[in-house]
Amino acid sequence: MKNTVRDINLKANKSPEKFVLESELEYLAEIGGIADRISNDRRIKIVAIAGPSASGKTTSAHILCDKLKALGENTTVVSLDNFYLTPDKLPILPDGRTDIESVNALDIELMQKCFNEIIETGSTMLPLYDFKTNGRKLNAVKADITDGGIIIVEGLHALNPVITELVPKENIYKIYISVNCPILDDDGKRILSSRQIRLVRRTLRDRIFRGASVNDTLSLWSGVVEGETKYLYCFKDTADVHLKTLHLYEPCLYRREFTALKSELKSGGEFYDYFLKTADALEKFTPLESSFVPRDSLIREFIGGGKYN
């Protein structure tokens, strides 16, 4: 069983560079097959990619975009994150918290306007959201497929009917992505769940790209999980394909940086024990240097220094 601590450490110790390459090629082969299917169906105009937080939606969308371009398709990526409402306009939950995970946290009216324009005319002006300042700039980026092509729409709500019903069924291809593979101990018991791996990914990513501390990330985690349950999982079975994004070398890669965050963790929080359990599990793995990870890897979405970030 290749997803055990023993097997992962064996590969990391024997040849870390080969281990990383094998994991990368396995993922690229999967996404390459998806690109072939899309390119061979001339009816497809929209590709919708949805998945839970830190599943790798953004980079998967860009890698798929590159694969389609290599097949001669005029392709552009649209991130639903750029349609987030500013904090003063977000919906409010019954307990007074802002509901940043709901589809209603998006500017649906603007989104529909942009999508209608690009479907009808081939081009539109898209907004751009800055998560560090929580500010949004309108008409910031032009999306143009006037000569025919494929739009890749990625985001938590990309499989929501609010999005998918904008176009005829035969013109849309739906992808659900997730880690979808736990790591096991040598007795076959789960030591790291898919959700724990996503928490590690999100914690590291948010520090780099959103200026968030580990405590900031944990304070939002309950809402993230709740939002996925309410607004995502109910649509995942509508997808045409499921894409697994786990790279088996990840626990080795994250060991040093994630476990070091224990010193910053505030005790007593809702996910305090969950974080420590995750960090303790990572300490069982052989450390692996980030220099082995290619610039165009999906994993660069979480550690920085990548082609797509």
Side-chain angles (χ1 to χ4, degrees), residues 269-302:
E270 181 181 1
F271 291 100
Y272 177 78
D273 291 337
Y274 188 74
F275 185 97
L276 290 180
K277 180 182 177 182
T278 302
D280 289 345
L282 287 176
E283 289 181 342
K284 299 181 184 296
F285 294 89
T286 300
L288 187 149
E289 298 299 326
S290 62
S291 58
F292 291 112
V293 182
R295 282 191 64 248
D296 59 355
S297 172
L298 175 144
I299 302 306
R300 288 284 176 185
E301 181 174 333
F302 313 109

Side-chain angles (χ1 to χ4, degrees), residues 147-179:
D147 296 327
I150 297 167
I151 303 165
I152 299 174
V153 179
E154 64 88 8
L156 174 69
H157 301 291
L159 296 185
N160 192 298
V162 169
I163 312 299
T164 59
E165 290 181 359
L166 291 175
V167 292
K169 184 177 180 180
E170 65 271 16
N171 298 137
I172 189 167
Y173 188 85
K174 295 179 282 188
I175 302 172
Y176 177 81
I177 77 171
S178 64
V179 172

Side-chain angles (χ1 to χ4, degrees), residues 64-218:
L64 179 61
C65 181
D66 284 352
K67 293 285 187 184
L68 287 168
K69 285 179 177 178
L71 293 171
E73 304 291 350
N74 178 20
T75 312
T76 190
V77 176
V78 175
S79 174
L80 293 184
D81 282 358
N82 288 317
F83 288 92
Y84 266 108
L85 295 167
T86 51
D88 58 308
K89 296 181 179 178
L90 289 170
I92 305 297
L93 292 166
D95 63 6
R97 291 179 296 139
T98 53
D99 188 0
I100 61 174
E101 303 301 328
S102 166
V103 69
N104 295 313
L106 301 176
D107 190 336
I108 296 173
E109 184 178 350
L110 177 60
M111 183 168 51
Q112 290 178 327
K113 173 181 177 293
C114 291
F115 283 25
N116 285 337
E117 286 177 355
I118 205 164
I119 291 167
E120 292 172 5
T121 71
S123 67
T124 191
M125 295 300 296
L126 299 167
L128 187 64
Y129 197 95
D130 186 337
F131 283 94
K132 288 187 177 180
T133 64
N134 284 319
R136 188 179 64 173
K137 183 179 179 181
L138 299 176
N139 301 315
V141 181
K142 185 174 184 179
D144 192 339
I145 56 165
T146 49
D147 296 327
I150 297 167
I151 303 165
I152 299 174
V153 179
E154 64 88 8
L156 174 69
H157 301 291
L159 296 185
N160 192 298
V162 169
I163 312 299
T164 59
E165 290 181 359
L166 291 175
V167 292
K169 184 177 180 180
E170 65 271 16
N171 298 137
I172 189 167
Y173 188 85
K174 295 179 282 188
I175 302 172
Y176 177 81
I177 77 171
S178 64
V179 172
N180 200 31
C181 184
I183 305 297
L184 310 177
D185 66 17
D186 297 333
D187 294 322
K189 296 179 181 178
R190 186 173 65 184
I191 188 172
L192 280 171
S193 69
S194 298
R195 183 170 288 169
Q196 283 175 288
I197 294 167
R198 290 195 295 109
L199 176 62
V200 175
R201 287 177 169 186
R202 177 162 174 150
T203 301
L204 299 178
R205 181 199 68 189
D206 286 1
R207 286 174 67 82
I208 297 170
F209 297 108
R210 300 185 179 181
S213 70
V214 58
N215 298 298
D216 292 332
T217 298
L218 291 179

